[in-house]
Amino acid sequence: MPNWCAGTLRVRGKKKDLQNFVLKGLKPCGTFKNEPVKLELDEYGYVDSNVTCWIEGTNRGFVNNLNVCFDRDDEDDYIQTIALDAEFAWNIRSEELLKVCKKYHIDMRIYAFEMGMEFNLEIEIINGKITKESYFAFQDYMWECICPNMGG
């Protein structure tokens, strides 16, 4: 069982590109009953699922408790940001996220915590380029880390 690098994955882009990423780039994982789950936009602009979703193109990156709203009144070119509860096995590979960003024409940013191995990561991808990729190690993780109980 892996240690989890967990944090809030913020995704930004045009409304139509964000919707495309959420509906096609997030793949619901099987349930115990193995009933297929499909993500759908409801009549009010919500996508809501309590099924864990794999982030397409990542080795083991997942979104939990998907709950996003796209404003029905905004034009498709309106820039919007959504926040997703994400976790990645062992580490986050920025090159994998970069490929996802390029495919869906979106930006991503995450600050993630890994309690087991006691490190934090910060990754930012804007306009198809990695603009920030930082690794933070600690002398005393429980004291120095701002959220020492996340991840792991």
Side-chain angles (χ1 to χ4, degrees), residues 81-99:
T81 301
I82 59 174
L84 306 170
D85 293 334
E87 61 184 12
F88 297 79
W90 302 109
N91 199 349
I92 302 173
R93 293 168 185 83
S94 57
E95 290 297 324
E96 291 176 352
L97 293 182
L98 178 63
K99 287 179 185 176

Side-chain angles (χ1 to χ4, degrees), residues 8-12 15 17-24 26 39-50 53 63-72 80-86:
T8 301
L9 178 65
R10 289 173 280 167
V11 186
R12 176 178 68 184
K15 183 175 96 171
D17 293 332
L18 278 179
Q19 286 177 344
N20 193 33
F21 166 69
V22 169
L23 297 174
K24 295 181 181 172
L26 299 179
L39 299 177
E40 296 179 322
L41 189 66
D42 74 11
E43 62 188 286
Y44 303 106
Y46 283 92
V47 179
D48 188 14
S49 176
N50 60 359
C53 297
V63 169
N64 298 308
N65 304 315
L66 180 64
N67 184 359
V68 295
C69 178
F70 299 100
D71 194 336
R72 294 180 302 150
Q80 184 175 353
T81 301
I82 59 174
L84 306 170
D85 293 334

